[in-house]
Amino acid sequence: MAEFTMELNDEQKEVRDWLHGFAADVIRPAAAEWDEREETPWPVIQEAAKVGIYSLDFYAQQYFDATGLGIPMAMEELFWGDAGIALSIVGTGLAAVGVLANGTEEQIGTWIPQMYGDPSDVKVAAFCSSEPDAGSDVASMRTRAVYDEAKDEWVINGTKTWATNGGIANVHVVVASVDPELGSKGHASFIVPPGTPGLTQGQKFKKHGIRASHTAEVVLDGVRVPGSCLLGGKEKLDERLARAREKARKGGERVKNAAMATFEASRPAVGAMAVGTARAAYEVALDYARTREQFGRPIIDNQGVAFQLADMRTQIDAARLLVWRASWMAVNGRPFEAAEGSMSKLFASETAKKVTARAIQILGGNGYTREYPVERMHRDAAIYTIFEGTSEIQRLVIARTISGVPVR
């Protein structure tokens, strides 16, 4: 087990500097264009693939970093560049985590490489969990998967929404209910292979922020997938469902579902994304305050501005430390006894919204225009308190964990 440290080792620093260079030289110059176009930045993803950032090998190296800091470090640097483009680059990772968290070794080896493709033909993947009537309320999921024993196939019907890369993905990971009576405990995750009949893209959303990232509905109409596409396999599913039914009968403890296993693993990473966006806005505001003169002196000479920057930097550093702690705990198998993963996502997300809003205030009228990037950063930051569990849901998770009671 790696000791907890706040100091990156030489290899991590080298990777961080490499990522920072890519973010500064490739992502940032393209940010405004793709935000306006509201399209997937395929050329930037391809550039990331060519240098090895958009690849299974790179993601695996960071995911299995013994210190736990590989993923949050990478997320912070890429999202420092631009949140929309960075999400297009790392969005496939959520589907990959879904397979890593729930799949067999064979499924991991088969499907994750197909999620990325190769530098000459890049692919993306989508994790599909939310529904029009079941976002935070995962127990209300209506997408159904029914097993056809005669053909050893699962038949999936339903509509997913808010899916990053939904409809344009090579591989879709779909969470569906296999036993509605068990609520969220009756969910399972399925791979929908490329070109599977019955899967289509529904509405593509025009969003407030992260506009370079494709977000859409995914419609599943009689989609049939082989039995081997059930993540974890049917034997494991049957055992889990049997335990859930028995515990439901006895009123026993809760059983984690497939979607929640994925979200728990990814929450600190989302926190790191928020830290990256917050840091970017803070740096713009700091540079502006040093150079912008009013009444014959730089505006940073005024306490009203300087104190805001002091608070911004303090909040960013505190958010990063919460993210790093949760990431270290996760990779070292330490249980989140106080919902530390949710804490990191909650604080970092709220920090990103506050810091980007303050950055606009420091830039004044300039900050409200698209001539300066803080306007875009503020729009982007709004998503962190919403996706992969709203701030209200994070507080609910934390409250339930520290109290031991089902707070409603």
Side-chain angles (χ1 to χ4, degrees), residues 9-311:
N9 59 40
D10 290 342
E11 183 178 350
Q12 289 169 328
K13 289 177 182 177
E14 184 177 343
V15 172
R16 179 199 60 192
D17 294 344
W18 172 55
L19 290 170
H20 187 80
F22 183 85
D25 298 338
V26 181
I27 293 178
R28 279 208 168 176
E33 175 188 352
W34 291 98
D35 176 72
E36 292 288 345
R37 292 176 63 169
E38 298 191 51
E39 296 175 358
T40 301
W42 290 107
V44 183
I45 298 174
Q46 189 168 36
E47 285 301 310
K50 286 179 180 178
V51 300
I53 293 173
Y54 186 76
S55 70
L56 172 60
D57 287 345
F58 174 76
Y59 199 83
Q61 286 172 10
Q62 306 315 310
Y63 186 85
F64 292 110
D65 182 337
T67 69
L69 302 185
I71 288 294
M73 176 192 66
M75 296 300 110
E76 180 177 338
E77 293 305 327
L78 293 173
F79 279 74
W80 172 89
D82 176 67
I85 292 177
L87 190 57
S88 288
I89 293 173
V90 308
T92 292
L94 185 58
V97 168
V99 176
L100 286 168
N102 302 296
T104 64
E105 289 187 9
E106 182 178 358
Q107 289 170 330
I108 292 170
T110 299
W111 295 111
I112 293 184
Q114 294 186 48
M115 294 179 174
Y116 289 91
D118 59 63
S120 63
D121 185 22
V122 293
K123 306 291 185 183
V124 294
F127 183 77
C128 308
S129 177
S130 294
E131 297 184 1
D133 297 318
S136 299
D137 183 12
V138 294
S140 298
M141 188 176 292
R142 295 181 180 178
T143 299
R144 299 286 184 260
V146 178
Y147 185 56
D148 183 342
E149 190 171 1
K151 295 184 178 180
D152 185 27
E153 292 179 338
W154 288 90
V155 184
I156 309 174
N157 287 282
T159 299
K160 295 296 181 180
T161 193
W162 312 123
T164 298
N165 298 330
I168 66 170
N170 194 47
V171 176
H172 290 77
V173 178
V174 176
V175 181
S177 174
V178 297
D179 190 334
E181 292 185 1
L182 290 175
S184 62
K185 304 177 188 69
H187 295 174
S189 293
F190 299 85
I191 292 286
V192 180
T196 299
L199 186 149
T200 57
Q201 179 184 309
Q203 170 186 194
K204 178 188 174 183
F205 296 103
K206 294 180 73 65
K207 305 189 299 295
H208 175 66
I210 55 167
R211 301 199 299 195
S213 173
H214 176 97
T215 309
E217 289 183 334
V218 174
V219 180
L220 303 113
D221 183 9
V223 170
R224 285 182 169 268
V225 299
S228 60
C229 287
L230 167 64
L231 290 180
K234 193 167 187 306
E235 182 178 348
K236 183 178 178 181
L237 172 65
D238 289 341
E239 291 175 357
R240 179 167 62 81
L241 294 177
R243 290 196 304 271
R245 294 185 188 108
E246 180 64 17
K247 287 176 180 177
R249 185 179 66 81
K250 293 180 177 180
E253 62 186 50
R254 296 188 303 159
V255 179
K256 291 180 182 178
N257 63 74
M260 290 301 102
T262 300
F263 290 140
E264 284 184 9
S266 63
R267 277 173 180 156
V270 176
M273 298 173 189
V275 170
T277 299
R279 190 183 113 211
Y282 159 77
E283 289 177 1
V284 172
L286 177 63
D287 182 65
Y288 186 89
R290 285 169 170 166
T291 57
R292 172 70 167 175
E293 291 193 2
Q294 290 286 279
F295 306 105
R297 62 180 184 176
I299 63 173
I300 200 170
D301 285 356
N302 299 304
Q303 284 187 358
V305 173
F307 283 9
Q308 286 193 69
L309 289 163
D311 286 344

Side-chain angles (χ1 to χ4, degrees), residues 296-339:
R297 62 180 184 176
I299 63 173
I300 200 170
D301 285 356
N302 299 304
Q303 284 187 358
V305 173
F307 283 9
Q308 286 193 69
L309 289 163
D311 286 344
M312 291 159 73
R313 176 59 186 265
T314 300
Q315 291 162 357
I316 291 167
D317 282 11
R320 183 185 296 110
L321 289 174
L322 283 172
V323 167
W324 282 19
R325 179 184 68 169
S327 301
W328 175 84
M329 291 176 69
V331 81
N332 285 286
R334 296 291 184 90
F336 288 163
E337 294 180 350

